[in-house]
Amino acid sequence: MADVIRPTDDESRALAQSLMQTARFAALGVLLEESQPLVARVAFGLDAQGGPVSLISDLAQHSQALRRHPVCSLLIGEPGAKGDALAHPRLSLMAEAAFVPRTDPAHAVLADAYLRQHPKAKLYLQFTDFSFVRFTVTAAHLNGGFGKAFRLAAADLLPGG
Amino acid sequence: MADVIRPTDDESRALAQSLMQTARFAALGVLLEESQPLVARVAFGLDAQGGPVSLISDLAQHSQALRRHPVCSLLIGEPGAKGDALAHPRLSLMAEAAFVPRTDPAHAVLADAYLRQHPKAKLYLQFTDFSFVRFTVTAAHLNGGFGKAFRLAAADLLPGG
């Protein structure tokens, strides 16, 4: 496996950062009981420090799973409608989730940043079952297209990283 | 949670079947060691019986994870470029993966069906590290858009189901 991973360079860092900055949704992978993975679509944004966040409902099964087992994964980078989806760059994040209570002062700060990226999220923010989740990235796999695989660190994903 | 799940009806079955038939790629969730989920993009197609299949490389970390722990999840149903991605229907499959050896007669049968859905997969089929994986669906969660959640059984996903 090791020999198919290319050395991280400025181009791969820039590609990963661009995927982070443009993603508006992600495929979130969580662990249900009995070691059953579940992948669900969630909203995706960045906080003021460039860290990934989502706004999710407590009613969703993936939220309940995240509260029990915060270790998760997020896939971002969506193919266009045409062409080979596997040639399109994407980024898999390994992360640890932390919920931000709605009563936490951080909630309002996050809401400000998030609404600039997701103007329509005003709707979801009204519902008391929705709350922000921060994801602390522990590792990232960038696939820039066929044969272009990279392993990135959390710092590689941040502007100037 | 139970009260937000709607009763399965013909409309939800038809929507799930349509997502299965039109998907050409999926977000695959697998389990790495130490209970770390990983979500990666994979190709997605159906075999002649309507069961989900993918064609994946042994070099990929998600392939190696699937061989160790075949219990996985697939998310299909891609939002368009515009509009609210969370209003777009999607389907999360819980599944068990089984690799089809390239020497198995089933490989050629699968390749025929698959190439009709993925004409460009001829490229990948030439590489000996690529093989088909069948997914036996154990449960499915359909999200038809905000507030439209359903729990489906494997039979609901098959034409006439």
Side-chain angles (χ1 to χ4, degrees):
Chain A
M1 187 66 193
D3 58 341
V4 303
I5 304 297
R6 299 192 183 185
T8 301
D9 55 13
D10 284 349
E11 197 182 331
S12 54
R13 282 186 203 99
L15 176 56
Q17 289 169 22
S18 154
L19 291 170
M20 294 276 285
Q21 283 152 21
T22 55
R24 291 294 175 269
F25 59 92
L28 169 70
V30 298
L31 195 57
L32 303 180
E33 278 155 24
E34 296 176 10
S35 296
Q36 168 69 63
L38 165 68
V39 184
R41 179 159 300 129
V42 295
F44 182 92
L46 298 179
D47 65 16
Q49 290 75 45
V53 297
S54 188
L55 177 65
I56 62 180
S57 164
D58 269 338
L59 301 176
Q61 193 178 12
H62 49 265
S63 297
Q64 298 169 5
L66 267 188
R67 286 189 189 268
R68 278 193 302 264
H69 181 81
V71 178
C72 60
S73 180
L74 291 155
L75 172 68
I76 58 171
E78 289 300 312
K82 292 185 180 181
D84 184 352
L86 298 180
H88 195 280
R90 64 273 190 184
L91 183 66
S92 297
L93 306 175
M94 300 338 117
E96 184 145 356
F99 283 80
V100 179
R102 290 175 69 94
T103 50
D104 189 314
H107 175 84
V109 178
L110 276 171
D112 273 353
Y114 192 81
L115 284 172
R116 279 195 290 275
Q117 297 157 49
H118 295 83
K120 289 182 183 170
K122 243 182 171 165
L123 170 68
Y124 304 115
L125 274 169
Q126 293 169 13
F127 300 117
T128 53
D129 58 298
F130 274 79
S131 57
F132 285 107
V133 184
R134 288 181 192 279
F135 298 95
T136 301
V137 176
T138 52
H141 301 176
L142 173 68
N143 188 323
F146 188 66
K148 293 184 203 155
F150 301 87
R151 293 280 182 270
L152 304 182
D156 293 322
L157 306 180
L158 298 173
Chain B
M1 186 65 192
D3 57 341
V4 303
I5 304 298
R6 298 192 184 185
T8 301
D9 55 13
D10 285 347
E11 197 182 330
S12 55
R13 283 186 202 99
L15 176 57
Q17 291 169 22
S18 154
L19 291 169
M20 294 277 285
Q21 284 151 23
T22 54
R24 291 294 173 270
F25 60 90
L28 169 70
V30 299
L31 195 57
L32 303 179
E33 277 154 24
E34 297 176 10
S35 298
Q36 169 68 62
L38 166 68
V39 184
R41 180 160 298 130
V42 295
F44 182 93
L46 299 179
D47 66 15
Q49 289 73 45
V53 297
S54 187
L55 176 66
I56 62 179
S57 165
D58 269 337
L59 301 176
Q61 193 178 13
H62 50 266
S63 297
Q64 298 168 6
L66 268 189
R67 288 190 188 268
R68 279 191 303 264
H69 182 80
V71 177
C72 60
S73 180
L74 291 155
L75 172 68
I76 58 171
E78 289 299 313
K82 294 186 178 180
D84 184 351
L86 298 182
H88 195 281
R90 65 272 192 184
L91 183 67
S92 297
L93 305 175
M94 293 351 109
E96 184 146 354
F99 283 80
V100 178
R102 289 175 70 93
T103 51
D104 189 314
H107 175 84
V109 177
L110 275 171
D112 273 354
Y114 192 81
L115 283 172
R116 279 194 290 276
Q117 296 158 49
H118 295 85
K120 289 183 183 168
K122 244 183 170 161
L123 170 69
Y124 303 116
L125 274 169
Q126 293 169 13
F127 300 118
T128 54
D129 58 297
F130 274 80
S131 57
F132 285 108
V133 184
R134 289 180 192 279
F135 297 96
T136 302
V137 176
T138 52
H141 301 175
L142 173 68
N143 189 323
F146 187 66
K148 293 184 204 155
F150 301 88
R151 292 281 181 270
L152 302 183
D156 294 321
L157 307 179
L158 297 173

